[in-house]
Amino acid sequence: MRWSLYVAAFVLTALFRFLTLGDGFPNDHYVYISGGWQMLAGEWPTRDWVDPGLPLMFAVSAAAQAVFGKVLFAEAVLVSVAFGAGAALTAAAVLEVTGTLWIAALATLLEVVVFPRTYGYPKVLVYAAVFLCCARFVSRPGHWRAVLMAFAVVVAFLFRHDHGLFLGVGCALTILLAPDSGTLAQRSRTLALFVLAGLLMVAPYLLYVQLNGGLPAYIRAGVDFSEREAARQWHIWPAVFGDDKPFQSALVYEFYAIPVLALIVLVAQRFGGPEGPPYVHGTDPPYVHRGLDPPSAHRIPQWSAHVIPAAIVALLANYYLVRDPLDTRVADAIVPAVMLGAWLAARAVQATRHRTAALGVLALSVALFGASVSSAGSIVENLDRTDVRREWDHLPRLFMTRSAELHERFSTHQIPTRATLSLVPFFGYLDRCTADDHRLIVGGYLVELPFFAQRRFAGGMGYLGGSFGGDETERLTLLRLRTQVAPFAVIPSDYMVDLEGRFPRIVEYLRARYTKLADVHVTDELDVNVFVDTTLAPVGRDRDTGWPCFR
């Protein structure tokens, strides 16, 4: 039954996420798709272009494109498989902690329903993987399991550095709190092994950074990126009553209430005297599968080792991941919430005192949390996006239709913004009149442009703007621009003033070398300005547009 749950969670989640891509990826996701394209062209993050601390996000996108081709289908497979694996790992982690299949299935369903953005797959995958490693360590502590936890934390760190820090704290607490870890000295040695193993695993990456700009500069750039992101999108406490989406706003408070309530229940269990059996009657808890004795004497310490680390990770994730706008951010903290919520559900079902009240509170809480995640995940809209409700008996055809769309370079359903859709004729011109090694200077948040243009971005910056800035970044960007061939700069009209304020020396460089070639109309309020490098001698004129050709 356990493996049936895992397989079902993986297959159904992966299929669901794949079919919902009928409207394409959000443009934020193209930061990583374009970065993967840049890697396939031979350039590496940090060494050749600015990486704000997400190296594995770019690397796995590049790997997917290397396997499946430089089309959106590659990223679709990656994201779908990652969410499917995350669902299966969540089910396994919850089952490890609660021993109850239906609770594991419900927790996994809620995780899927909240529907994190496509680029949020590491926030499901790596958190679920680390929690599973922690649960396995609690059930049977050992040095190899500590090393496995270290590996999972390093992977999380390479996906995004703060994930590794949050989960590293949780793993360290797990080692110290696991009841069968031995004496304090033995726990300390295991913790030292965990830290040392993690440092050894991450050392090659740190050495790579040091050899390509240095760790101090890398850390400064990361801090600058985080500060600018925080100033633009910081943690919020939304109003619930009178809000357009009250259940979605309530989810923020529910995310905080769950770890706090779990800690309160843990303390109450610690001082409240004997309780019921550690797992629901009629199920096989993990220790049965391993031939171990029931851990009745250790159930409170075991619960502490599960709950306290997860609660700390949950509070950190809530504060640093749940930001404005809630529509795109609130789902990011789902895994710690469902892990702790599942433990609370198991405690309510297993209660021997005040059982009726406990079950009533559980039913009400599940209903409220379910309504909140459904609202945050827009579940009805996403089900409609799959077309399954209309053609559930034609799944193979739906899958093939979606695959065909994701293989098209300029499918109107897959292009994320009107600005990029308006630039499709320009991309055709680039194909005819520029070489593959020519680059584009991208201004504003047109992060998808390099991928659809099939040209590398110039200056070592995916786009001039956003959270990238500072004198050192501008100096290095100018140095790179002077050594690269970038026939065109593409800048949205609504970003010109911001560009002048953020990158004055780059603007001076552009004014000295580039002249306007065309204004591509997008809306009444927005044009995309295309500038051409006047220092490059054209070899001819494009037959369709009359514009200069550089090959």
Side-chain angles (χ1 to χ4, degrees):
M1 287 297 293
R2 289 182 302 152
W3 283 103
S4 297
L5 173 63
Y6 305 156
V7 171
F10 173 80
V11 171
L12 294 177
T13 302
L15 181 62
F16 173 62
R17 294 298 309 217
F18 185 85
L19 291 178
T20 56
L21 290 171
D23 291 334
F25 295 91
N27 69 324
D28 287 346
H29 196 121
Y30 284 88
V31 172
Y32 315 109
I33 298 175
S34 294
W37 159 260
Q38 197 87 351
M39 288 188 72
L40 287 182
E43 298 194 347
W44 288 70
T46 301
R47 186 190 70 184
D48 301 307
W49 44 277
V50 176
D51 171 16
L54 310 151
L56 204 52
M57 288 289 290
F58 304 115
V60 295
S61 183
Q65 292 178 49
V67 173
F68 296 102
K70 299 171 184 177
V71 291
L72 291 177
F73 178 78
E75 195 74 11
V77 172
L78 167 63
V79 167
S80 302
V81 168
F83 276 117
L89 290 169
T90 299
V94 171
L95 189 58
E96 186 77 19
V97 172
T98 66
T100 310
L101 279 169
W102 72 265
I103 292 179
L106 178 60
T108 305
L109 177 63
L110 292 170
E111 175 190 284
V112 174
V113 166
V114 79
F115 204 81
R117 285 290 181 105
T118 53
Y119 51 82
Y121 68 84
K123 296 162 189 170
V124 173
L125 179 63
V126 298
Y127 279 73
V130 171
F131 280 133
L132 178 58
C133 290
C134 289
R136 290 288 177 86
F137 182 88
V138 172
S139 65
R140 185 182 290 177
H143 288 167
W144 283 112
R145 293 195 172 189
V147 171
L148 183 60
M149 282 197 297
F151 174 76
V153 168
V154 169
V155 171
F157 177 82
L158 294 177
F159 266 111
R160 188 170 131 173
H161 295 339
D162 54 356
H163 295 334
L165 297 177
F166 301 159
L167 292 167
V169 169
C171 288
L173 289 172
T174 299
I175 291 171
L176 294 174
L177 293 172
D180 297 324
S181 291
T183 64
L184 179 59
Q186 291 172 320
R187 295 171 196 232
S188 299
R189 286 195 292 270
T190 303
L191 179 59
L193 173 65
F194 165 78
V195 173
L196 179 60
L199 289 175
L200 289 175
M201 292 177 202
V202 81
Y205 176 72
L206 299 181
L207 178 61
Y208 165 80
V209 171
Q210 179 62 31
L211 293 175
N212 292 281
L215 281 169
Y218 181 80
I219 293 171
R220 285 196 302 271
V223 170
D224 181 66
F225 178 84
S226 298
E227 288 177 349
R228 291 178 184 273
E229 279 285 282
R232 186 169 61 95
Q233 296 176 329
W234 192 235
H235 183 81
I236 62 171
W237 298 100
V240 175
F241 300 103
D243 192 88
D244 290 339
K245 294 184 177 181
F247 284 108
Q248 175 182 275
S249 297
L251 188 59
V252 176
Y253 300 95
E254 292 164 19
F255 277 167
Y256 280 96
I258 288 171
V260 172
L261 182 59
L263 292 172
I264 291 172
V265 170
L266 181 66
V267 172
Q269 299 271 286
R270 173 67 179 83
F271 296 103
E275 252 301 350
Y279 296 96
V280 177
H281 178 70
T283 64
D284 287 332
Y287 61 79
V288 170
H289 298 296
R290 301 187 184 91
L292 304 177
D293 294 329
S296 57
H298 300 289
R299 65 178 182 266
I300 298 298
Q302 279 190 328
W303 293 339
S304 298
H306 289 309
V307 170
I308 294 175
I312 297 301
V313 171
L315 293 172
L316 289 170
N318 292 343
Y319 188 74
Y320 288 101
L321 299 184
V322 178
R323 298 179 178 181
D324 185 43
L326 287 182
D327 284 346
T328 63
R329 302 290 187 134
V330 71
D332 291 346
I334 187 63
V335 175
V338 296
M339 286 294 303
L340 290 166
W343 182 82
L344 285 169
R347 302 311 318 134
V349 172
Q350 297 156 14
T352 57
R353 290 173 295 179
H354 311 296
R355 180 178 177 82
T356 301
L359 292 177
V361 171
L362 173 62
L364 182 61
S365 300
V366 170
L368 177 60
F369 192 71
S372 295
V373 299
S374 298
S375 175
S378 303
I379 185 60
V380 174
E381 178 183 336
N382 283 316
L383 284 173
D384 286 340
R385 190 175 288 129
T386 66
D387 292 328
V388 168
R389 293 205 299 173
R390 289 188 294 272
E391 301 184 60
W392 63 269
D393 54 339
H394 296 291
L395 277 178
R397 191 186 64 77
L398 288 175
F399 183 86
M400 295 303 296
T401 299
R402 195 69 75 241
S403 297
E405 292 174 354
L406 290 162
H407 276 91
E408 289 182 34
R409 182 178 174 188
F410 299 130
S411 169
T412 56
H413 294 294
Q414 299 297 324
I415 295 177
T417 63
R418 292 184 65 179
T420 301
L421 184 62
S422 300
L423 286 168
V424 168
F426 174 67
F427 299 147
Y429 161 69
L430 292 179
D431 291 343
R432 296 189 300 271
C433 289
T434 61
D436 291 342
D437 60 346
H438 288 168
R439 301 170 183 262
L440 289 175
I441 298 174
V442 182
Y445 200 63
L446 292 174
V447 291
E448 67 274 16
L449 193 148
F451 177 79
F452 285 105
Q454 298 286 277
R455 296 294 183 271
R456 286 177 289 176
F457 49 77
M461 295 185 69
Y463 62 102
L464 298 172
S467 300
F468 303 111
D471 291 340
E472 179 62 23
T473 300
E474 187 174 25
R475 184 196 66 80
L476 184 57
T477 300
L478 275 173
L479 181 64
R480 287 167 171 161
L481 285 174
R482 291 191 175 104
T483 62
Q484 297 170 349
V485 180
F488 302 100
V490 182
I491 304 172
S493 59
D494 62 352
Y495 184 68
M496 295 299 295
V497 174
D498 196 18
L499 180 64
E500 292 173 355
R502 190 179 295 276
F503 300 103
R505 287 179 291 180
I506 292 177
V507 170
E508 183 180 352
Y509 171 84
L510 293 175
R511 285 175 174 165
R513 291 186 55 144
Y514 289 78
T515 188
K516 186 178 289 187
L517 177 69
D519 288 332
V520 178
H521 180 71
V522 181
T523 67
D524 291 340
E525 294 79 26
L526 176 65
D527 290 332
V528 176
N529 302 316
V530 179
F531 299 86
V532 62
D533 188 349
T534 58
T535 67
L536 295 178
V539 297
R541 290 283 167 177
D542 179 46
R543 182 175 55 189
D544 294 346
T545 63
W547 295 346
C549 279
F550 299 101
R551 71 164 187 174

